[in-house]
Amino acid sequence: METSQLQVKRILDNIGNVMIGKEHVAELSIVALLAGGHVLLEDVPGVGKTLMVRSLAKSVGANFKRIQFTPDLLPSDVTGSSIYNPKELKFEFRPGPIMGNIVLADEINRTSPKTQAALLEGMEEGSVTVDGNTLSLGSPFFVMATQNPIEYEGTYPLPEAQLDRFLFKMNMGYPSPQDEVNILHSTEKKQPINELQSVITSEELQEMQRQVKGVHVDVTVKEYIVDMVNRTRTHQSVYLGASPRGSVALMKAAQAYAFSHGRDYVLPDDIQYLAPYVLPHRIILKSEAKFEGMTAEQVVKKVIDRTPVPVQRSMSR
């Protein structure tokens, strides 16, 4: 049987045929998918946000859906709605794009809070409510949302209480000059995404997700996570720190990250690597800290540096 590390490498290499120079974003996207979480990509247009999620969906053989969020988009445009069938003399449910396995929520901050809430309900509950009926979403279910941090006119920023529905928040960034030259080479005569094939099946992905839950997290590592998250609540620059949901998210992300590296246990190093992607969007800074130019990312970096690392592994398992 193929090891978890080899399976993840196959997915990563496959995405690399399309996404050049974005290995860390691809790896974290795979980790989020394995952990059952969701990703918020915040960056300027044209850096490959849409291409990333399409490549991931094709690589794992999942059903891909795309929602282009606009100011006039309604919740029913996301969840689906009941349409009257005059031949059958009854209403029939027409599923919306949220019923896919991997969903791209493009420019999520351009739609109204009511429509955003329809998507976020599905992300949190794994189900949506239509005409008073609760409908379960498919499995696997993964949302990668994008937003443009530059244009704010006519947008509806996600409240902090909704931001922490995302496991990771990260940026794509511009490619290096050499990577950009390679992008030109690869797209000169064809579009690589059109030739991409799946390297694992949806069933294999679901089995990997089940195995992730069995990755061991030592009690000392759990205490390390709680200590780190608690320090975001007591930091002098923070108005509101990460909630217990942040602790759970960090643990689940670490389990998936360890699994993707062929381990059945989590290391403190995993926590340190993932915290900058899991915690910053879960804290609110004081106004004076913002005025001084402090960012949530800087706060989390200081918290990581100041949190004592467990040096002795307990035998409880």
Side-chain angles (χ1 to χ4, degrees):
M1 182 177 179
E2 192 173 32
T3 66
S4 59
Q5 190 173 14
L6 287 176
Q7 285 178 309
V8 171
K9 188 177 185 304
R10 286 173 61 202
I11 301 171
L12 196 57
D13 290 344
N14 203 50
I15 295 175
N17 293 326
V18 176
M19 299 301 301
I20 297 173
K22 299 298 178 185
E23 291 81 5
H24 73 290
V25 179
E27 181 184 38
L28 288 171
S29 299
I30 295 169
V31 167
L33 176 60
L34 291 175
H38 309 283
V39 172
L40 177 62
L41 282 177
E42 186 176 69
D43 221 319
V44 296
V47 294
K49 300 186 295 293
T50 302
L51 208 56
M52 174 61 73
V53 65
R54 287 183 62 199
S55 302
L56 178 61
K58 281 199 168 188
S59 296
V60 299
N63 182 10
F64 172 74
K65 299 289 184 180
R66 182 178 185 271
I67 310 171
Q68 179 63 55
F69 283 88
T70 57
D72 61 347
L73 196 73
L74 299 175
S76 59
D77 295 326
V78 175
T79 61
S81 58
S82 296
I83 306 296
Y84 184 71
N85 186 334
K87 291 184 178 180
E88 299 291 335
L89 301 179
K90 64 179 181 180
F91 284 92
E92 295 179 348
F93 176 68
R94 300 284 178 86
I98 198 174
M99 296 297 177
N101 294 127
I102 292 185
V103 179
L104 169 62
D106 210 2
E107 296 188 298
I108 189 175
N109 58 332
R110 288 203 174 277
T111 196
S112 68
K114 188 175 183 179
T115 305
Q116 290 174 353
L119 174 70
L120 293 164
E121 178 196 355
M123 290 168 52
E124 181 68 15
E125 307 295 336
S127 62
V128 293
T129 302
V130 181
D131 296 333
N133 299 316
T134 300
L135 305 173
S136 297
L137 299 177
S139 181
F141 177 66
F142 174 72
V143 173
M144 184 174 283
T146 72
Q147 62 179 12
N148 182 350
I150 304 301
E151 298 178 10
Y152 290 104
E153 186 175 352
T155 63
Y156 304 85
L158 287 170
E160 285 76 8
Q162 296 179 349
L163 272 176
D164 74 349
R165 297 296 195 276
F166 292 96
L167 181 65
F168 295 145
K169 181 183 178 185
M170 53 189 177
N171 301 323
M172 294 285 290
Y174 287 115
S176 68
Q178 184 56 54
D179 286 336
E180 196 159 357
V181 170
N182 292 336
I183 291 172
L184 297 182
H185 285 318
S186 67
T187 58
E188 182 178 4
K189 298 179 180 179
K190 59 183 179 180
Q191 180 51 265
I193 186 68
N194 296 330
E195 300 179 359
L196 208 63
Q197 301 294 323
S198 62
V199 292
I200 67 169
T201 64
S202 180
E203 290 73 21
E204 288 175 317
L205 173 60
Q206 292 179 67
E207 177 58 29
M208 292 169 71
Q209 289 178 321
R210 285 190 288 269
Q211 292 176 13
V212 163
K213 297 177 181 178
V215 173
H216 176 65
V217 186
D218 192 81
V219 64
T220 57
V221 176
K222 292 177 182 174
E223 291 169 350
Y224 179 53
I225 292 172
V226 171
D227 188 11
M228 185 179 293
V229 171
N230 188 63
R231 286 171 186 266
T232 68
R233 303 167 190 164
T234 58
H235 194 280
Q236 61 182 4
S237 299
V238 176
Y239 172 72
L240 186 67
S243 69
R245 182 183 286 153
S247 301
V248 173
L250 189 50
M251 182 185 71
K252 290 186 177 297
Q255 285 179 294
Y257 184 76
F259 177 84
S260 69
H261 284 74
R263 286 185 275 110
D264 63 352
Y265 57 90
V266 172
L267 295 172
D269 288 351
D270 301 333
I271 308 301
Q272 293 175 3
Y273 175 71
L274 295 169
Y277 303 102
V278 176
L279 298 181
H281 62 285
R282 302 173 190 273
I283 66 178
I284 303 175
L285 298 182
K286 293 179 179 177
S287 55
E288 53 267 31
K290 294 179 182 178
F291 181 76
E292 293 171 359
M294 180 71 72
T295 65
E297 288 77 12
Q298 291 172 334
V299 169
V300 170
K301 185 178 184 305
K302 290 182 178 180
V303 165
I304 294 171
D305 293 340
R306 295 173 183 175
T307 306
V309 180
V311 294
Q312 184 175 0
R313 185 170 178 233
S314 75
M315 298 305 293
S316 62
R317 186 157 184 163

